[in-house]
Amino acid sequence: MVIAGPSPGSGEIAGSIARGLGADVIVAESKTFPDGESYVRVPQSLEGEEAVVVQTLSPPQDTSVIQAMLLADAVLGAGARKATLVAPYLAYSRQDRRFLDGEPVSVAVVLRALHSAGYSALYTVEVHKEASLAHFPGEARSISPYEYMARRVKVEGDLLVLAPDLGAVGRAERLAKALGASYDYLVKHRDRVTGEIVIEPKTIPAEGKTVILVDDIISTGGTLAKATKLLYQQGAREVYALVAHALLAGNALERLEEAGLRKLYAGNTLPKREHPLLEYVDLGPLIAEVLSSG
Ligand code: R5P
């Protein structure tokens, strides 16, 4: 039984996952109390069922996390024998270590909280760092979407897949292999206090190439916009981007447009936005396939 959580973006992907599983969907009821507290309710018995709660941890992330926790208790209270969480976007995954003294390892806190709320299994799509999932005391899996998304990419020319930093080079390798293209990476630094990004002017064999930048997430668009501009300066013919999670904070789309990006392919792990730059790939069938095999 699939239970669609109330966070923005959960309903559509929950429906797609349920179709892939051949399962029924129950839409969780929700409201916010006048004082700001969250309320959820599963409106039918789940006696003896395995409950797959689909709740992406989309903005407002803190509310989404709390609703996911409340849903674990709700489905177990409604009789489910097991509660599995599918959180296509795992919020807080980028704070995966103490970059500055006194900081928390936020992803560890969130994963432990979800487990203690009642989930014994957790599935997500392309967590920022795979190793973070070790903080979840149960079964946890991150689904890589790049090979699946490659089938939907329609670009022509001499392809080069690029990661914006060394940490994402594995992503570039997966996508490049699926597209039969070469791959490389740029060198990015981020100021941990101001958030300012600097991409080193590393020379990439971009001359005349159709470049596809690949990353796990786009938030403000700073990383991809800077990389796009650098690549055009280095002679790229066209620049595209592909990400698992399109958070698109603030004026991210305008920044990408202004940089000259041709298209942004994104998974539907977060609420969709309408924009000529954007093309979404439904990851529901892929998640369903992994859930049924796992
Ligand atoms: C960071 O390591 C991530 O992989 C992304 O590159 C980053 O979070 C993107 O953020 P923004 O779009 O704000 O540059």
Side-chain angles (χ1 to χ4, degrees), residues 94 128 164-165 168 171 188 190 197 215-224 255:
R94 287 173 293 169
H128 184 60
D165 54 36
R171 298 178 175 125
K188 177 179 101 176
R190 187 187 287 274
I197 294 160
D215 211 351
D216 55 334
I217 181 168
I218 174 169
S219 178
T220 64
T223 302
L224 291 181
R255 291 173 95 168

Side-chain angles (χ1 to χ4, degrees), residues 253-274:
L253 285 166
E254 290 70 29
R255 291 173 95 168
L256 295 176
E257 234 175 0
E258 194 254 324
L261 193 82
R262 295 284 188 269
K263 193 176 279 286
L264 174 65
Y265 291 96
N268 59 343
T269 61
L270 286 161
K272 285 183 172 174
R273 296 261 294 269
E274 281 291 328

